[in-house]
Amino acid sequence: MNENLHYVCPHCHSTNRVPVSKLSEHPTCGHCKEALITGSPVALNTDSFSRHVMRSQFPVVVDFWAPWCGPCQSMAPAFAEAAERLKLTAQLCKLDTEAYPQAAAPYGIRSIPTMVVFREGQEIARVSGAMPAGEIERWVISVL
């Protein structure tokens, strides 16, 4: 399969065109030359949130969280573990709803943590509540 898809760089947030067949071959960003697929959650702000969610053709999973939220803090290591396991399936990102409320507001986030799966700018699934890494992985795979 030589189909290309748009993948947003986790470092400089530039959009890259990557052949699907090359995703597992450690592609690098054409702009900043950093690794496109890191296996780590990408911290987003208002601008980068829009870029990742709206421009990426690769599925994006956003963890809407806040620093004062105990369940969010306890889920953070599991989310990071799931990011590594799912790195060739979806890009896992985190959005601090306290720091960037204007990015979260359009999605009506009522409780945190809430994870939302986006594909090409469209929300396709969401779940609220802290989950262990295995459950995060199973949930993401089940909705994709």
Side-chain angles (χ1 to χ4, degrees):
M1 175 186 246
N2 286 329
E3 181 182 333
N4 290 325
L5 59 80
H6 291 149
Y7 193 101
V8 179
C9 177
H11 307 285
C12 71
H13 310 292
S14 295
T15 303
N16 290 261
R17 195 170 313 158
V18 180
V20 172
S21 61
K22 303 287 185 187
L23 284 175
S24 63
E25 297 178 16
H26 310 291
T28 57
C29 176
H31 182 71
C32 73
K33 309 301 182 210
E34 295 287 335
L36 284 177
I37 299 173
T38 64
S40 298
V42 179
L44 302 177
N45 60 33
T46 302
D47 292 333
S48 60
F49 175 85
S50 179
R51 287 181 182 197
H52 283 264
V53 168
M54 302 309 282
R55 293 185 186 171
S56 183
Q57 292 175 314
F58 197 66
V60 176
V61 179
V62 179
D63 173 20
F64 291 89
W65 70 284
W68 50 262
C69 169
C72 298
Q73 297 298 328
S74 68
M75 189 178 84
F79 193 76
E81 186 179 329
E84 174 59 33
R85 292 181 190 174
L86 293 166
K87 67 184 176 187
L88 296 178
T89 304
Q91 185 178 51
L92 275 64
C93 302
K94 296 179 73 68
L95 181 75
D96 179 348
T97 59
E98 191 79 9
Y100 307 106
Q102 65 277 23
Y107 299 96
I109 303 300
R110 302 267 186 261
S111 64
I112 52 174
T114 292
M115 290 180 286
V116 178
V117 178
F118 295 94
R119 181 180 283 148
E120 296 187 52
Q122 299 298 312
E123 178 179 334
I124 60 171
R126 75 169 54 196
V127 66
S128 294
M131 297 164 51
E135 277 187 48
I136 295 169
E137 185 178 7
R138 281 188 293 280
W139 176 71
V140 170
I141 290 169
S142 75
V143 299
L144 295 176

